Amino acid sequence: MMDFEIINSYIPRFLEAFRLTITIGWLGIALAFVVGIVVAFVQHFHVPVLTAIAKVYIELFRNTPLLVQLFFIYFGLPKIGFQISAEVCGVVGLGLLGGSYMAESIRSGLEAIPPSQTESAVSLGMTKPQLFWNVILPQAFTISLPAIMANVIFLLKETSVFSAISLMDLMFTAKDLIGLYYNTTECLFMLVVSYTIMLLPVSLVGRLAEKKVRYRMFGD
Amino acid sequence: MDEILKIEQLKKSFDDLSVLDGIDLSVKKGEVVVIVGPSGCGKSTFLRCLNGLEDIQEGRVSLESEVINPVSKSTVNARKKIGMVFQSYDLFPHKTILQNITLAPMKVHKRKKAEAEGEALQLLERVGLVSKKDNYPRQLSGGQKQRVAIVRALMMHPEVLLFDEVTAALDPEMVREVLEVILSLAKEGRTMLIVTHEMAFAKAVADRIIFMDGGKIIEQGTPDDIFEHPKTERLQSFLKTFTYDR
């Protein structure tokens, strides 16, 4: 069945790939979060011109596969004079795809706050910024948190298409080793183990965070 | 007594629908004015115009010398002097009771936390809710939430308090605990405008009762005038809806 000596010998290469995958994955998620916040705020405050651009951006990136986006950035941009490394390409690709998802998650939280919250804050004499930072945003974040966590997990898994732009991530490493030595079972086993180690803690931390944050507003 | 709130020829419409049709009203300092009338007569909208939550098409609302409506830069400032309590409480669900009532004093009036909390605890004591200070709004009953909402408004030291059907969403046994608080505020000599369907309460608390219908003030006077000697036919038939004949 499975040869654990082979698995043992593969561990250094998988560790390498693991490091690369989580580095690019988390950098991409950080970028996605920043892009998502900016785009959601632009829409929430109906910033002229930018709101229209935000809508086009969201629909464009939400409705095309990450693989296609990566090809565009990696092979397309050099043709118009922008040379970027595969690593930067991975971060930017993940950040832009994730940004469109994050924007929608944050916007849904912002829209879920009833107007009466604004009215009661305003009638207490609060200014618009005071009301936004102290009343609207903390509640919106609480409501968005499960969706944001789902996005994080989804984005980490999406890193598996990075191999297509020759980034030596987990998927690339597994395929490479299978091609060289035909130890398919061992490689696929390592893949499953690696992704589980990468994602299980995220899931658990996410659950804890949700529990802690949501308790205030919703009880258990 | 000095006039504090002045409403002149107030007109408000939603698109083609006229809701308030030329209202004049002058409220004196320390006066308790209760507004009654059938559903949809515009009384809640009227109250919301008084602190600029609704914009108006014609007329003027002013607090002492400051214009509140039509809404302008001075509205934000004048609004700090008007407290409002809503039917649905509208506490901030992500904050504890103590945080709910100290947020605006700390942000708007820049008061120190310890000092604001000191006053908050005194007021909570007064409405019997000190023990709930670290609870979240979802853990309180409707009547308790509404008492907190009143305290939250009081913390801003308003010159005028507006109450918009504050007991309409409450169970009958909770209505009383909220109304007692409002009654005690009336005894302190606070200026208040109250929209309510509780006629017995209106009779007890009001210096003046306003009867509105179809976006107009139809009749006004002391509780005795309104309840015992209604002049207009519309008020008479409105009052009849509160009594039952076999």
Side-chain angles (χ1 to χ4, degrees):
Chain A
M1 273 298 287
M2 242 189 309
D3 189 335
F4 281 94
E5 236 163 80
I6 294 176
I7 287 178
N8 229 357
S9 70
Y10 286 171
I11 284 178
R13 282 209 58 186
F14 270 94
L15 268 180
E16 190 87 359
F18 189 84
R19 208 172 303 145
L20 180 112
T21 307
I22 56 167
T23 309
I24 294 183
W26 280 107
L27 283 175
I29 287 166
L31 178 65
F33 202 60
V34 173
V35 171
I37 288 176
V38 171
V39 172
F41 282 15
V42 159
Q43 294 189 89
H44 181 71
F45 294 112
H46 304 288
V47 184
V49 186
L50 290 183
T51 305
I53 296 173
K55 288 211 169 92
V56 172
Y57 156 73
I58 288 173
E59 293 312 329
L60 203 59
F61 278 84
R62 217 167 43 148
N63 297 321
T64 48
L66 179 59
L67 189 60
V68 174
Q69 294 167 16
L70 289 177
F71 280 167
F72 253 88
I73 299 168
Y74 193 60
F75 299 113
L77 285 187
K79 295 220 162 98
I80 52 167
F82 292 100
Q83 204 74 41
I84 58 171
S85 69
E87 285 82 2
V88 174
C89 175
V91 172
V92 171
L94 202 61
L96 288 177
L97 170 79
S100 66
Y101 277 80
M102 293 293 191
E104 287 295 89
S105 302
I106 296 166
R107 188 175 65 93
S108 71
L110 288 170
E111 282 181 3
I113 313 303
S116 60
Q117 286 285 305
T118 301
E119 287 179 355
S120 71
V122 158
S123 58
L124 285 164
M126 284 192 219
T127 60
K128 289 229 167 89
Q130 284 171 342
L131 129 85
F132 182 73
W133 293 107
N134 295 291
V135 176
I136 306 291
L137 197 60
Q139 292 186 56
F141 177 70
T142 307
I143 293 169
S144 297
L145 192 59
I148 290 172
M149 286 316 295
N151 290 344
V152 168
I153 290 169
F154 156 78
L155 290 171
L156 276 175
K157 289 192 291 194
E158 278 294 283
T159 56
S160 57
V161 304
F162 283 170
S163 58
I165 52 166
S166 54
L167 269 173
M168 288 202 262
D169 75 326
L170 289 166
M171 204 66 190
F172 183 96
T173 303
K175 279 198 266 185
D176 192 33
L177 289 170
I178 292 171
L180 283 171
Y181 309 112
Y182 296 106
N183 293 318
T184 316
T185 320
E186 286 77 5
C187 285
L188 292 182
F189 172 74
M190 286 300 280
L191 260 189
V192 172
V193 170
S194 305
Y195 277 111
T196 311
I197 291 175
M198 180 164 32
L199 285 153
L200 204 58
V202 180
S203 255
L204 293 175
V205 169
R207 206 162 288 229
L208 278 176
E210 274 172 37
K211 218 174 171 178
K212 206 168 156 53
V213 174
R214 289 174 69 84
Y215 171 77
R216 303 177 302 187
M217 269 168 77
F218 303 108
D220 355 289
Chain B
M1 282 198 285
D2 314 327
E3 173 185 86
I4 183 161
L5 191 68
K6 192 175 171 79
I7 297 117
E8 298 158 276
Q9 273 306 304
L10 175 63
K11 284 190 185 173
K12 161 84 188 167
S13 54
F14 293 109
D15 298 321
D16 289 342
L17 181 74
S18 167
V19 185
L20 299 172
D21 190 12
I23 294 191
D24 285 291
L25 183 69
S26 164
V27 180
K28 297 192 196 85
K29 214 178 176 103
E31 194 179 16
V32 179
V33 177
V34 173
I35 303 162
V36 298
S39 297
C41 72
K43 52 194 191 304
S44 281
T45 305
F46 175 59
L47 217 55
R48 291 162 59 83
C49 290
L50 300 189
N51 74 345
L53 281 181
E54 301 282 350
D55 49 10
I56 59 177
Q57 273 69 48
E58 274 178 56
R60 197 151 76 132
V61 178
S62 42
L63 179 75
E64 288 170 325
S65 58
E66 284 173 295
V67 176
I68 300 168
N69 222 334
V71 176
S72 70
K73 280 215 169 80
S74 72
T75 304
V76 178
N77 199 42
R79 203 182 249 153
K80 292 176 196 167
K81 300 175 192 164
I82 300 183
M84 184 154 183
V85 184
F86 300 85
Q87 177 180 339
S88 51
Y89 338 119
D90 300 311
L91 298 178
F92 307 131
H94 60 302
K95 295 199 176 287
T96 65
I97 298 310
L98 196 58
Q99 290 167 342
N100 256 282
I101 56 188
T102 54
L103 178 68
M106 281 159 56
K107 297 290 170 192
V108 177
H109 286 160
K110 312 286 177 213
R111 288 166 66 184
K112 293 265 183 302
K113 189 174 179 214
E115 188 262 328
E117 285 185 351
E119 187 190 353
L121 290 174
Q122 273 177 16
L123 285 171
L124 282 178
E125 176 84 62
R126 177 173 163 184
V127 300
L129 290 173
V130 164
S131 62
K132 301 285 182 195
K133 68 181 170 66
D134 296 320
N135 284 90
Y136 287 96
R138 64 181 166 78
Q139 297 166 315
L140 271 58
S141 73
Q144 292 172 332
K145 277 190 255 199
Q146 198 56 289
R147 282 182 279 159
V148 172
I150 294 172
V151 167
R152 186 172 67 169
L154 289 177
M155 284 292 290
M156 298 303 287
H157 305 150
E159 290 176 30
V160 176
L161 276 166
L162 310 176
F163 293 90
D164 185 12
E165 302 199 28
V166 292
T167 58
L170 297 177
D171 291 338
E173 66 266 38
M174 289 173 184
V175 169
R176 190 165 191 102
E177 65 189 42
V178 172
L179 295 185
E180 301 256 338
V181 172
I182 301 177
L183 262 172
S184 78
L185 293 173
K187 281 188 199 133
E188 281 178 13
R190 286 182 186 266
T191 313
M192 304 196 279
L193 277 88
I194 303 169
V195 167
T196 186
H197 287 291
E198 302 283 337
M199 292 303 143
F201 171 67
K203 213 181 280 187
V205 78
D207 294 317
R208 175 159 47 134
I209 293 182
I210 308 257
F211 171 65
M212 273 178 73
D213 196 12
K216 285 189 166 97
I217 295 179
I218 304 295
E219 201 172 326
Q220 56 178 307
T222 63
D224 189 60
D225 295 338
I226 295 293
F227 289 108
E228 309 307 329
H229 313 285
K231 290 191 216 55
T232 56
E233 200 237 323
R234 265 199 274 186
L235 176 56
Q236 286 159 6
S237 67
F238 172 71
L239 291 173
K240 261 198 201 116
T241 61
F242 293 92
T243 55
Y244 295 90
D245 299 320
R246 278 196 72 167

